[in-house]
């Protein structure tokens, strides 16, 4: 029988090469164990509501009214919904051509894009053009649209931080490009050394790769660091000198757990620099409703904003977006609620502030609890999670454990994480899924388990880890690199 197009050996090789560790072997095994009745704590993905975070009331009220607009005609609607939520729902419905069941413009509803532009203007101190803002099904869809537009073939390279969020490695493989890694320095709190960037570009060019763009993730995923203004200036100058597009993944901009290094957007720093660089360097910035205090991952709302992109190129990106017809409209409504929340004097303002600050304050506590918990364990060191939603501890595996992993046909940190999962039900992601230096091992876990559950989770982790280290006779003390 002749081979068929969807036989495995006939598939697109780029699809088979693409790997996405966050939903990889560990996640699949965790799902199997869950079906068998084992309690699993899914810390493998930044999915706040799945780990107990409550949705904010105001956005849900607005979307509920938009989804069921007949409620707005009920004379008793004001007994259930506050007046500002009712007004916001009516406004958003007026933006649509037929409610949430109708397609929007492929770039998103113009009214919501205007609200996003106003949010960016307030944040950065510079006006933003709604025509250069595209709403997307989460930030991931926007990243993929831009990478698809930038990558012309295998000879095109994208600079990506390592450790990196595997969306980038998977998408670059899928579109037939080449990932050009630049390593972050763990001993410098996952800082960026500009010399590493230059070395990575030089090595890529030696191999015949044309480096086209650079990705930054700020705050970092999986590493949790926040980039300083000086860091961002260095990066922007580097991209300008090397003629690279900068892709700024800024989805965790609300998730900052210290005061020394607040989030500052790449766009603000670029425009503050003035001169030719501020008018010539090409920048695409991404944001989402999935993170921050909203945590509305399942709603799939996001946007990207383009800075210094030529009009003809913007038209081509519009064409790519048009292939999908429309970003989902409920996700756009959530985006509107995120960038245009209740204001002082509004009925819902006090509740909104109480809920949103409560979430962020609790995440700050959990970041400290998790970092301290990891650093109390044998053979583990962990930098503090300055931002985002993850801890990324280094695990010093004993030689006997590395040998046992080899005998089992597993990468050492996969072996460790599988043992952790079987013993405790804690589902993590091995560091090898994000990239790491040779011979160094990590795992990534979210800081999202409920605050009241965190002590028990970290005690369970410590009990497993210390027994594992004793079993493989590798513990002889370990200090930070």
């Amino acid at each position: 029988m002749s081979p068929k197009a969807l036989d495995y050996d006939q598939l697109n090789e780029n699809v088979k090469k693409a790997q996405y560790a966050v939903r990889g072997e560990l996640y699949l095994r965790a799902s199997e164990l869950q079906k068998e009745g084992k309690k699993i704590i899914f810390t493998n993905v930044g999915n706040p509501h799945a780990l107990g975070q409550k949705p904010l009331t105001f956005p849900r009220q607005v979307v509920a009214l938009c989804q069921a607009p007949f409620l707005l005609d009920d004379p008793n609607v004001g007994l259930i919904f506050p007046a500002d939520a009712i007004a916001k729902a009516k406004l958003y419905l007026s933006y649509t051509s037929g409610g949430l069941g109708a397609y929007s413009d492929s770039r998103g509803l113009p009214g919501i894009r205007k609200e996003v532009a106003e949010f960016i203007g307030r944040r950065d101190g510079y006006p933003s053009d709604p025509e250069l803002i595209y709403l997307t099904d989460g930030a991931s869809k926007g990243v993929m649209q831009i990478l698809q537009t930038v990558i012309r073939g295998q000879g095109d390279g994208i600079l990506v931080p390592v450790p990196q969020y595997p969306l980038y490695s998977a998408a670059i493989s899928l579109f037939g490009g080449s990932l050009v890694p630049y390593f972050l320095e763990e001993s410098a709190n996952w800082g960026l050394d500009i010399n590493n960037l230059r070395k990575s570009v030089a090595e890529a060019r030696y191999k015949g790769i044309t480096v086209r763009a650079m990705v930054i993730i700020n705050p970092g995923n999986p590493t949790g660091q926040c980039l300083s203004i000086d860091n961002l200036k260095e990066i922007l100058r580097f991209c300008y000198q090397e003629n690279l597009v900068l892709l700024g993944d800024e989805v965790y901009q609300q998730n900052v757990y210290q005061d020394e290094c607040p989030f500052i957007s790449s766009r603000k720093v670029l425009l503050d620099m003035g001169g030719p660089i501020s008018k010539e360097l090409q920048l695409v910035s991404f944001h989402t409703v999935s993170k921050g205090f909203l945590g509305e991952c399942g709603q799939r709302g996001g946007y990207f904003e383009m800075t210094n992109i030529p009009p003809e190129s913007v038209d081509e990106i519009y064409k790519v977006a048009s292939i999908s017809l429309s970003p989902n409209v409920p996700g756009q409504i959530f985006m509107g609620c995120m960038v245009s929340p209740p204001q002082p004097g509004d009925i819902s303002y006090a509740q909104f502030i109480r809920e949103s600050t409560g979430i962020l304050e609790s995440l700050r506590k959990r970041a400290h609890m998790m970092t301290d918990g990891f650093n109390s364990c044998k053979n583990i060191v962990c930098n503090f999670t300055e931002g985002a939603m993850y801890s990324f501890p280094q695990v010093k595996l004993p030689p006997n454990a590395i040998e046992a992993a080899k005998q089992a046909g597993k990468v050492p940190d996969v072996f460790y994480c599988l043992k952790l999962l079987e013993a405790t039900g804690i589902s993590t992601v091995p560091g090898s899924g994000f990239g790491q230096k040779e011979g160094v091992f990590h795992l990534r876990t979210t800081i999202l388990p409920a605050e009241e559950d965190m002590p028990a989770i970290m005690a369970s982790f410590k009990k497993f880890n210390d027994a594992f280290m004793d079993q493989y006779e590798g513990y002889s003390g370990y200090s930070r690199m």
Side-chain angles (χ1 to χ4, degrees), residues 126 252 290 300 465:
Y126 297 95
Y252 297 101
S290 299
R300 309 313 298 138
N465 175 81

Side-chain angles (χ1 to χ4, degrees), residues 29 82 184 210 274 304-305 316 378:
R29 179 59 183 145
L184 303 177
T210 301
F304 62 84
E305 183 201 23
E316 293 301 312
K378 294 179 180 178

Side-chain angles (χ1 to χ4, degrees), residues 79-395:
L79 299 177
I80 304 172
F81 294 92
D84 51 357
I86 293 170
K88 181 77 90 171
K90 288 179 177 177
L91 175 67
Y92 286 164
L93 286 170
S94 76
Y95 291 165
T96 71
S97 58
L100 270 57
Y103 289 133
S104 75
D105 185 287
S106 299
R107 297 166 294 184
L109 295 165
I112 303 288
R113 288 191 283 129
K114 182 173 181 289
E115 290 189 357
V116 172
E118 290 167 350
F119 158 78
I120 293 170
R122 291 191 302 271
R123 185 195 67 189
D124 295 345
Y126 297 95
S128 173
D129 184 354
E131 294 300 304
L132 299 176
I133 293 166
Y134 284 26
L135 305 183
T136 54
D137 294 338
S140 300
K141 187 67 174 286
V143 168
M144 294 184 75
Q145 287 175 351
I146 296 299
L147 286 174
Q148 185 176 23
T149 306
V150 168
I151 295 170
R152 301 167 301 183
Q154 195 170 1
D156 283 347
I158 309 294
L159 272 168
V160 177
V162 175
Q164 55 98 25
Y165 178 49
L167 162 67
Y168 293 97
S169 53
I172 292 165
S173 292
L174 197 60
F175 299 133
S178 296
L179 186 146
V180 179
Y182 65 92
F183 284 93
L184 303 177
E185 291 298 329
E186 185 170 11
S187 59
N189 201 29
W190 298 113
L192 184 152
D193 184 341
I194 211 76
N195 292 320
N196 286 347
L197 281 177
R198 293 195 179 96
K199 182 181 176 185
S200 294
V201 170
E203 289 176 354
R205 287 175 178 159
Y206 181 76
K207 296 173 184 174
I209 294 169
T210 301
V211 182
R212 303 260 290 163
M214 175 178 173
V215 173
I216 59 170
I217 307 174
N218 181 35
N221 176 12
T223 48
Q225 86 286 6
C226 295
L227 293 174
S228 67
I229 292 177
D230 289 341
N231 262 164
L232 287 166
K233 284 181 178 177
E234 274 191 314
I235 291 163
L236 290 162
R237 289 191 196 101
F238 175 81
C239 289
Y240 186 59
Q241 291 162 2
E242 300 294 340
N243 204 24
L244 306 178
V245 181
L246 181 61
L247 307 182
D249 182 333
E250 299 176 339
V251 301
Y252 297 101
Q253 60 189 260
Q254 292 169 321
N255 297 99
V256 177
Y257 312 123
Q258 39 71 42
D259 302 318
E260 293 75 25
C261 191
F263 169 79
I264 300 170
S265 75
S266 302
R267 177 179 180 270
K268 174 173 174 52
V269 176
L270 174 64
L271 297 180
D272 280 348
M273 290 171 76
I277 187 172
S278 67
K279 296 179 176 64
E280 296 174 14
L281 187 137
Q282 296 180 347
L283 168 67
V284 185
S285 306
F286 304 89
H287 199 10
T288 183
V289 304
S290 299
K291 311 305 177 185
F293 45 72
L294 246 63
E296 293 279 7
C297 298
Q299 310 292 352
R300 309 313 298 138
Y303 76 75
F304 62 84
E305 183 201 23
M306 297 170 279
T307 303
N308 297 329
I309 309 299
E312 309 82 36
S313 300
V314 172
D315 290 344
E316 293 301 312
I317 294 167
Y318 188 7
K319 182 171 69 181
V320 172
S322 298
I323 294 169
S324 300
L325 288 175
S326 164
N328 90 82
V329 181
Q332 297 182 51
I333 302 302
F334 273 101
M335 178 57 72
C337 290
M338 184 184 86
V339 298
S340 179
Q343 297 301 304
D346 292 347
I347 294 168
S348 299
Y349 178 74
Q351 182 179 24
F352 171 78
I353 291 296
R354 184 171 64 251
E355 291 175 348
S356 58
T357 56
I359 288 167
L360 292 178
E361 285 171 2
S362 177
L363 284 169
R364 184 181 282 231
K365 291 176 189 172
R366 284 178 267 173
H368 282 281
M369 292 165 75
M370 189 160 271
T371 304
D372 292 345
F374 283 132
N375 284 325
S376 75
C377 295
K378 294 179 180 178
N379 284 20
I380 290 185
V381 291
C382 185
N383 285 320
F384 176 62
T385 301
E386 294 181 344
M389 293 180 169
Y390 313 98
S391 280
F392 197 62
Q394 183 180 148
V395 184

